[in-house]
């Protein structure tokens, strides 16, 4: 006499969200403009423009580009704008900052697009294990988005979750 195995997790009204689904696909690359500065300290407009004109922008084709300057110097805003004009026709996306800052921005944009209707009053589990990099900021962003509408928010796996929030 064998008993039927019942998958209680499948029958629950638990919604599992995998932040991996919100990760923008594509190769990531950093572009440090300090290589175009005089002595890596001073931006000389004429020289800067010449470097930009001579640069091979095709290397950024369909890439997610994190644009920054590693030198401790003041860079005028127009310099980043000028580099962006060169990248715009090649890159898939251009952000100011390093790759980690770009990841936060990309997750923020994707999470902002979530339509909340299906999460109202539900139990939501944010999947814990993944095979791709998810910045910690993404967990804060998704929490801020969901806490106002969900019944409860958990982290981990359905068989072993950590309660994060429960509406009282």
């Amino acid at each position: 006499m064998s008993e039927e195995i019942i998958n209680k997790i499948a029958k629950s009204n638990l919604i599992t969200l995998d932040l991996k689904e919100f990760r923008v696909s594509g190769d990531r690359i950093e572009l440090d403009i300090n290589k175009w500065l005089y002595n890596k300290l001073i931006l000389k407009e004429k020289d800067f423009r010449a470097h930009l004109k001579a640069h091979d922008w095709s290397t950024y084709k369909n890439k997610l580009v994190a644009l920054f300057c590693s030198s401790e110097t003041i860079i005028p805003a127009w310099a980043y704008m000028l580099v962006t004009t060169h990248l715009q026709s090649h890159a898939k996306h251009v952000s100011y900052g390093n790759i980690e800052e770009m990841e936060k921005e990309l997750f923020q944009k994707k999470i902002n697009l979530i339509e909340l209707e299906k999460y109202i009053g539900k139990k939501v589990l944010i999947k814990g294990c993944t095979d791709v990099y998810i910045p910690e900021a993404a967990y804060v962003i998704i929490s801020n988005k969901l806490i106002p509408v969900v019944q409860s928010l958990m982290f981990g796996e359905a068989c072993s979750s950590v309660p994060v929030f429960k509406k009282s």
Side-chain angles (χ1 to χ4, degrees):
M1 175 158 65
S2 65
E3 290 186 35
E4 181 183 351
I5 297 173
I6 299 170
N7 185 342
K8 292 179 183 177
I9 294 169
K11 289 191 173 215
S12 74
N13 66 346
L14 183 68
I15 298 173
T16 301
L17 259 178
D18 189 347
L19 287 182
K20 175 173 139 178
E21 296 171 16
F22 295 90
R23 187 171 191 269
V24 175
S25 64
D27 294 333
R28 281 112 169 104
I29 189 168
E30 288 182 326
L31 175 54
D32 186 352
I33 68 169
N34 82 342
K35 61 186 168 191
W36 297 320
L37 304 179
Y38 176 73
N39 287 335
K40 296 191 177 195
L41 287 173
I42 300 167
L43 190 146
K44 291 183 174 182
E45 183 180 352
K46 185 178 179 183
D47 294 345
F48 188 74
R49 286 180 182 272
H51 286 299
L52 296 181
K53 188 174 184 181
H55 188 69
D56 179 13
W57 297 100
S58 66
T59 59
Y60 304 97
K61 190 75 178 159
N62 295 320
K63 301 266 193 311
L64 302 165
V65 181
L67 176 61
F68 72 105
C69 182
S70 62
S71 298
E72 291 189 27
T73 189
I74 298 171
I75 304 294
W78 62 260
Y80 294 108
M81 293 171 68
L82 191 58
V83 175
T84 302
T85 63
H86 287 277
L87 286 167
Q88 194 68 51
S89 61
H90 299 281
K92 183 176 178 179
H93 176 83
V94 181
S95 286
Y96 172 77
N98 61 30
I99 287 182
E100 187 173 321
E101 292 166 321
M102 179 175 65
E103 287 294 346
K104 291 177 199 175
E105 177 187 329
L106 293 170
F107 271 95
Q108 180 79 58
K109 285 182 177 184
K110 291 282 282 235
I111 290 170
N112 282 345
L113 297 175
I114 294 175
E115 294 184 13
L116 293 175
E117 291 75 31
K118 77 180 207 176
Y119 301 102
I120 295 172
K122 302 292 184 184
K123 295 176 182 176
V124 179
L125 174 73
I126 305 301
K127 194 168 191 277
C129 295
T130 185
D131 57 350
V132 298
Y133 170 69
I134 308 291
E136 285 80 7
Y139 294 98
V140 173
I141 295 165
I142 194 73
S143 297
N144 279 326
K145 182 83 174 182
L146 294 175
I147 286 172
V149 300
V150 299
Q151 176 62 38
S152 64
L153 185 64
M154 295 163 279
F155 173 83
E157 302 300 320
C159 62
S160 172
S161 62
V162 176
V164 175
F165 166 80
K166 185 168 183 163
K167 194 171 273 180
S168 50

